Structure formats: C-alpha cells, structure tokens
Amino acid sequence: MEFENDGVRIEVPERPEAIANGNGKANTPSSIAAGSPALASPPALFHILVKPPPPPSRLLNIMDNFSDEKNNNSSSSSEVEYESLPETASTSTHMIAGAVAGVLEHCVMYPIDCVKTRMQSLQPDPAARYRNVMDALKRIVRTEGFWRPMRGLNVTATGAGPAHALYFACYEKIKKTLSDTIHPGGNSHIANGAAGCVATLFHDAAMNPAEVVKQRMQMYNSPYKRVLDCMRTVWKTEGAGAFYRSYTTQLTMNIPFQAVHFMTYEFLQEKLNPHRQYNPSSHVLSGAMAGAVSAAVTTPLDVCKTLLNTQESLALNSLNISGHLSGMANAFRTVYRLGGIPAYFKGVQARVIYQMPSTAIAWSVYEFFKYFISKHHRERRSTY
C-alpha cells in the first residue's frame, strides 16, 4: 500500500517478509532514506520517502536556455537574441549601449587624444615639440598643470553621447537589413562596411562641432579657457560654418576608417568568437586590432582634418596664407608644402595608441550592454 500527500510517500508492505532487504536482514531506521532529519524513527514496517516538489517552470526554462548555450547550438534562441536583440527594444537598446560606450571611450582616452592633436601640429611652438606620447604627457602636466590634458572633455562627452547613439543604432539596423539581402542568415563583410559608412554620416554630423571646439582647446597656448568662450569666439569671428568646415574632410577620413574598422572587427569575431556569444576577451582584442589598423591607414586624413579644425596660425603664416583655410584639397596641398610626405603621418604613434584602447573600450562596453539587456529580456520573458 502507498499513501502520498504533499510530496511525502508512505509505503506499507503487504507481508512482513517484504521488509527484509536483499541480505535477509530487516530494515532499520538507519536504512531510511536520508534527508528527513525532523521525522522520528518509524517502525520497521514502514518506508517513509520524502519526494521534493517539482522545480518551477521558470527554473526549467533557464536550465533549458543554459543547456542550449552550452551546446553552442547556432539555432538557439538565446544566441539569436544576443546578436540581434528583441525587435521591440532593439533601437533603444542599441542607442543606450552606444551612448554609454561612446562617452566612456572618449573620457578614458581623452589625455592621449590631447597629445595626438598637439603632435599633429605642422608648425609647433618650440615648447610644444615632443619626442613621444609619454614625453608629451609629462611635459604638459609639468609645465601647464595637472588638468591641462583634460581641457575640453566636457564638450566631447556631451557630443559623444548622441553621436554614438546614432552611430551604433544606425550600424546595427543597416547591417541586419543588408546582410539579410546579400547573405540571408549569415554575415556579410560588404554589409558591415556599408553599414559603418552610413552610420558615420550621422555620427560626424553630431560630433563635428564638438570636435572643432575640443581641438582648439587642446592646442598649445590655446587662448580659450572655457568651452563657451571658444564657441562664442568661433561663432562671432568665423561664423556658424566654422563648426562644419572640416565635415567633408572628416567624412573622407571616417568613411574609410569605419569601413576598415567594422570589417576588421567582424572578421576577427568570426575567427575568435564564431558562435557570437558574449566573450569579453574576444571583444577587447578584436576592437583593439580593428582600431589600430584603421587608425594607421587613415592618419594622413586625420592630419588634414586637424589643420582645418585648428586653423594653425604659425603654419598658415609661414606660407603667407591669409584668411581661413577650407576644403580638403587645400588642406592636402598645405600639409605637403609644410612637410612633404612625412607630414601626413605626424602623430601616427599617438593616433594608434589612442585608437587601440579606445575602440577596445567602445566594443567591450557596447557588447556588454547588448548581452546584459538581452539576458534581462530573456529572463523576464521566461517568467510568463
């Protein structure tokens, strides 16, 4: 006979012989299944078995998801959600993750960005000629103050948030659309590069005014003490167009930069993280290598952009150029006249040193937020 209630089953043998075990010995309290210390020792004629309640359905769902991820099943819903995110929240999620990644990227690496701007100066003041990045940082801090390399950070952080929100949201949307058209169900390097190019249009439109103000405040002996002073002075003396004077050059630089950047990153992810799971080490390494390659390739364009943004007075005066320099073609000619071919690669060391950790931070932070938000969505959905 069996009696069961709330997970506790009591077995009563039909005959006394049934209580004997395989050795012919009667069962004793010590042979009772462990796990019920609160129960008193029952008579030998009874078996009391405590059966745990079944796990809740949410736990089963989580266990199933974990099992699917562990088996690296490419059709697993968890992996699809991590890569593309839920359609109902994808745009806002990409924008939030992108904004946080952009602000952190620029804030953490801002001192190196200051050094890069100065090392790209074509006719620097004798007091602003540096041997390398570390020499520049030490001399700037020693001669101009501890916080001098951080001047202009506030305007950069303000511009980086919306610029990177548009950047990543646009990239993810266009990449998915083009990939589905070019290579349904797979990854297309052409789609990655094209998505990066289009995303750059929105990013630079939001970021270019902040870039102009930032670089003017980073230069040696900058006359501007505050961001608002710089903005007012540029507006009054050069007009609103000054904030977008380098926009075409910036696009000319950033479109190939981002095409190389995204294609390199996605290619390395295919090699290092083929199942596209959340893997911080692969995101950091892929981001750093993508940043280094794209930065080195596009340094000549960055030098021209810096000249257009800063309107470097010593360099322009040495060539008897009056007024304001404008246009990418003029910038290229001016750089060549001032220093020949080597001038196009001024500051390449600082640019690579800046871009490697910068893109590593951006991608690792962005991928973390994608993982975190998609995981939260998956767990919330499993409760229903």
Side-chain angles (χ1 to χ4, degrees), residues 31 36 55 59 66 76 109 116-117 137 159 228 256 275 294 307 350 364:
S31 67
S36 180
L59 180 58
F66 175 77
S76 164
M109 298 306 300
K116 175 188 74 71
T117 297
L137 277 176
L228 290 178
H275 298 292
S294 51
L307 178 61
S364 59

Side-chain angles (χ1 to χ4, degrees), residues 148-334:
R148 183 63 183 87
M150 305 300 290
R151 184 181 291 181
L153 174 62
N154 50 349
V155 70
T156 300
T158 303
H164 279 73
L166 291 171
Y167 176 68
F168 278 106
C170 180
Y171 171 72
E172 293 283 2
K173 180 67 176 178
I174 295 175
K175 180 184 75 170
K176 185 177 187 304
T177 302
L178 291 180
S179 292
D180 290 343
T181 302
I182 299 172
H183 189 188
N187 182 41
S188 169
H189 294 301
I190 297 176
N192 298 333
C197 293
V198 177
T200 301
L201 296 174
F202 294 94
H203 173 273
D204 289 358
M207 194 67 187
N208 207 86
E211 191 77 10
V212 171
V213 176
K214 176 202 74 172
Q215 291 199 308
R216 295 200 181 205
M217 297 191 71
Q218 287 174 334
M219 294 298 287
Y220 179 75
N221 273 343
S222 172
Y224 312 108
K225 301 299 181 182
R226 295 180 180 84
V227 168
L228 290 178
D229 292 339
C230 181
M231 293 175 66
R232 280 194 292 263
T233 302
V234 172
W235 184 283
K236 289 179 181 179
T237 59
E238 302 177 43
F243 294 104
Y244 282 94
R245 186 177 288 131
S246 67
Y247 182 58
T248 54
T249 303
Q250 180 124 332
L251 288 177
T252 305
M253 176 190 72
N254 280 345
I255 285 177
F257 176 93
Q258 299 300 349
V260 174
H261 172 203
F262 282 112
M263 291 173 70
T264 303
Y265 180 82
E266 297 287 356
F267 172 78
L268 291 173
Q269 281 292 286
E270 284 185 351
K271 301 300 180 183
L272 301 176
N273 188 16
H275 298 292
R276 296 305 180 98
Q277 296 174 325
Y278 176 60
N279 187 335
S281 60
S282 76
H283 301 319
V284 169
L285 182 58
S286 299
M289 293 304 297
V293 172
S294 51
V297 169
T298 58
T299 295
L301 295 165
D302 194 40
V303 172
C304 295
K305 182 207 74 173
T306 299
L307 178 61
L308 289 172
N309 277 345
T310 61
Q311 296 292 307
E312 191 181 338
S313 58
L314 288 176
L316 298 183
N317 291 337
S318 67
L319 296 177
N320 296 320
I321 297 177
S322 59
H324 303 297
L325 186 69
S326 62
M328 182 183 65
N330 285 336
F332 261 93
R333 284 194 294 267
T334 303

Side-chain angles (χ1 to χ4, degrees), residues 28-216:
T28 63
S30 61
S31 67
I32 299 172
S36 180
L39 295 175
S41 299
L45 294 178
F46 294 89
H47 283 300
I48 299 179
L49 303 175
V50 180
K51 182 174 67 175
S57 59
R58 179 184 178 187
L59 180 58
L60 290 174
N61 290 337
I62 294 175
M63 291 171 66
D64 289 342
N65 288 339
F66 175 77
S67 177
D68 291 341
E69 292 174 0
K70 191 172 182 180
N71 291 331
N72 294 327
N73 187 348
S74 60
S75 63
S76 164
S77 62
S78 61
E79 288 184 11
V80 172
E81 285 174 2
Y82 168 64
E83 183 64 24
S84 62
L85 296 179
E87 292 183 2
T88 56
S90 61
T91 301
S92 61
T93 296
H94 291 142
M95 294 186 75
I96 293 171
V100 174
V103 171
L104 285 177
E105 168 194 351
H106 284 282
C107 289
V108 172
M109 298 306 300
Y110 193 81
I112 307 299
D113 185 51
C114 177
V115 170
K116 175 188 74 71
T117 297
R118 292 198 180 191
M119 293 184 75
Q120 288 179 336
S121 176
L122 297 169
Q123 293 287 341
D125 188 279
R129 294 175 181 171
Y130 312 109
R131 294 190 303 271
N132 52 52
V133 174
M134 289 307 300
D135 175 62
L137 277 176
K138 289 177 183 177
R139 289 176 57 184
I140 291 172
V141 171
R142 185 174 63 249
T143 60
E144 303 175 50
F146 181 79
W147 295 107
R148 183 63 183 87
M150 305 300 290
R151 184 181 291 181
L153 174 62
N154 50 349
V155 70
T156 300
T158 303
H164 279 73
L166 291 171
Y167 176 68
F168 278 106
C170 180
Y171 171 72
E172 293 283 2
K173 180 67 176 178
I174 295 175
K175 180 184 75 170
K176 185 177 187 304
T177 302
L178 291 180
S179 292
D180 290 343
T181 302
I182 299 172
H183 189 188
N187 182 41
S188 169
H189 294 301
I190 297 176
N192 298 333
C197 293
V198 177
T200 301
L201 296 174
F202 294 94
H203 173 273
D204 289 358
M207 194 67 187
N208 207 86
E211 191 77 10
V212 171
V213 176
K214 176 202 74 172
Q215 291 199 308
R216 295 200 181 205

